[in-house]
Amino acid sequence: MNVIQLHSDLWSRLQARRRQLPHSLLLGGARGLGKFDLARAFAASLLCENPQPNGEACGQCLACNWLSQGNHPDFRLLQPEALAEAEGEGEEGGKKASQQITIDQVRGLDDFLHVGTHRAGLRVVLVCPAEAMNRNTANALLKTLEEPAPDTLFLLVSHEPERLLPTIRSRCQALAVPTPDAARARDWLAAAGVADAERWLALAGGAPLLAAELDGSGERRLIEALLEQLLRGPALDPLAAAAALDKTVKAEKGGGAPPMKRLMEWAQKWLVDLSLAATRLPVRYFVGERAQIEKLAARSDAQRLLAFGRKALQYRRHSEHPLNSRLFLEDFFLGYAALFERR
């Protein structure tokens, strides 16, 4: 099952727009839903010379071959250098790859947008993730959107559309990419060879591509190291837990976001599940640990859990650049251990 089958309804809506395309489309939704793959497939279908009955690109014509080789004359992809690299990280020529779409990338579209299209066809610019632009870069793109070139479609993909400039959002027709229903997502993961699909799908908040990524990445090590400590509950040694996780975080190389930020995101989801269990509601993320979560929730109370959950929002905001990672983790685990102290 490909991403088009995963979002068949939305694909039909996209195909219906072929007859009267806007100058720019904004595909927004949670991370891991397949927005980029869907946008890329739509771009391929628009550039294809012999599209299939459902609009998919044929994959065999000259235009499809150009696109697959990355040299179609009427297609441009704007994304951070870090995402463009094969491994998604590292340094090139001694310089760390940028995590942002740069203003030079946007300015580089000038010549592309002011020459004729190949075979009098359509020109497509795919921007992903659109929120990876600073204000100067966004303003440079805005000028292009305000005076669109003919026969040109801008496809913006965003995990957090609310972070885009309101003026950019107003120039785009927005399409929300929904979370697929659980049964379809499980079938998609099973077809992709993901074992224990239900667990990873829950951890990914229902996002199937993120679930597949979690199953096949080093994120598993980060999650398991965190769970080893959190499951101790009242028996937790905060200082020892902080030392262990600090070592894990510093050894972690995978993932686009900083490992400390990802660690705090998982901790926040764990606290959400504890709060749900404390009010006798089913857990949402850590379904494989449901029984242990319910036991831990019974040792605390909803009020304390909600209060620490609010504090966890601050931990998450400060997690990208903690002044001292060891002290940062010690503070978190001291607060977590206090949840289970008897009053």
Side-chain angles (χ1 to χ4, degrees):
M1 183 184 295
N2 61 28
V3 72
I4 293 174
Q5 293 170 310
L6 195 61
H7 295 287
S8 56
D9 294 340
L10 182 56
W11 179 256
S12 298
R13 291 166 58 195
L14 284 169
Q15 291 301 315
R17 290 174 176 259
R18 292 179 68 125
R19 293 186 290 271
Q20 191 173 1
L21 284 171
H23 294 298
S24 52
L25 278 172
L26 171 61
L27 299 182
R31 190 181 303 273
L33 295 177
K35 299 183 298 299
F36 174 76
D37 292 340
L38 193 66
R40 181 87 185 208
F42 186 51
S45 77
L46 294 173
L47 297 171
C48 178
E49 298 176 353
N50 299 297
Q52 299 181 40
N54 71 340
E56 288 188 61
C58 70
Q60 299 177 346
C61 69
L62 187 60
C64 287
N65 288 333
W66 281 340
L67 190 63
S68 66
Q69 294 169 18
N71 56 12
H72 195 293
D74 293 332
F75 178 79
R76 291 292 184 275
L77 171 62
L78 301 188
Q79 63 178 345
E81 291 178 2
L83 290 179
E85 292 184 3
E87 296 181 358
E89 61 173 342
E91 297 182 1
E92 185 175 352
K95 183 179 179 181
K96 188 175 182 179
S98 174
Q99 297 287 339
Q100 291 191 329
I101 297 171
T102 66
I103 193 169
D104 289 337
Q105 288 176 278
V106 174
R107 288 173 175 168
L109 294 174
D110 287 347
D111 292 339
F112 171 69
L113 295 173
H114 293 95
V115 297
T117 59
H118 181 72
R119 299 187 185 180
L122 185 70
R123 185 167 31 218
V124 181
V125 180
L126 175 54
V127 185
C128 178
E131 65 270 15
M133 297 184 289
N134 61 30
R135 181 169 288 273
N136 290 335
T137 304
N139 281 325
L141 180 65
L142 178 61
K143 292 179 181 179
T144 302
L145 296 179
E146 289 175 335
E147 300 176 2
D151 302 316
T152 301
L153 172 66
F154 277 83
L155 274 173
L156 278 66
V157 175
S158 178
H159 310 309
E160 302 173 89
E162 66 281 358
R163 289 180 54 191
L164 299 177
L165 291 179
T167 44
I168 285 184
R169 295 201 304 269
S170 68
R171 298 300 190 281
C172 302
Q173 290 188 18
L175 283 176
V177 179
T179 301
D181 66 79
R184 179 179 294 190
R186 284 195 297 269
D187 290 343
W188 188 88
L189 288 169
V194 175
D196 201 3
E198 186 172 359
R199 177 174 188 254
W200 292 113
L201 191 62
L203 285 171
L209 272 76
L210 179 56
E213 181 183 334
L214 293 176
D215 176 64
S217 72
E219 197 73 6
R220 182 194 297 262
R221 291 189 297 272
L222 199 64
I223 295 171
E224 290 179 350
L226 179 64
L227 287 181
E228 182 181 355
Q229 304 302 329
L230 294 178
L231 283 167
R232 299 179 190 274
L236 176 72
D237 181 340
L239 301 186
L245 265 297
D246 188 49
K247 186 180 297 185
T248 301
V249 165
K250 289 178 178 176
E252 177 60 37
K253 302 294 184 181
M260 184 68 81
K261 180 181 179 182
R262 286 152 41 212
L263 186 76
M264 286 297 105
E265 287 174 351
W266 292 120
Q268 191 175 24
K269 290 181 178 180
W270 176 266
L271 292 170
V272 168
D273 279 349
L274 275 175
S275 296
L276 289 171
T279 54
R280 301 185 182 279
L281 292 173
V283 299
R284 181 181 302 173
Y285 299 108
F286 292 90
V287 293
E289 290 75 26
R290 178 182 60 83
Q292 297 99 311
I293 288 173
E294 290 175 349
K295 290 180 180 178
L296 288 175
R299 299 290 298 267
S300 186
D301 61 71
Q303 188 174 4
R304 275 193 282 177
L305 288 167
L306 287 172
F308 191 65
R310 287 192 293 270
K311 189 174 182 181
L313 293 173
Q314 299 176 18
Y315 286 120
R316 183 173 174 179
R317 283 196 295 268
H318 300 152
S319 60
E320 290 191 59
H321 306 289
L323 295 177
N324 184 306
S325 59
R326 178 74 170 269
L327 292 178
F328 178 84
L329 288 168
E330 286 180 2
D331 189 61
F332 170 79
F333 282 115
L334 284 167
Y336 179 76
L339 294 174
F340 308 102
E341 294 176 354
R342 295 192 179 277
R343 295 185 178 179

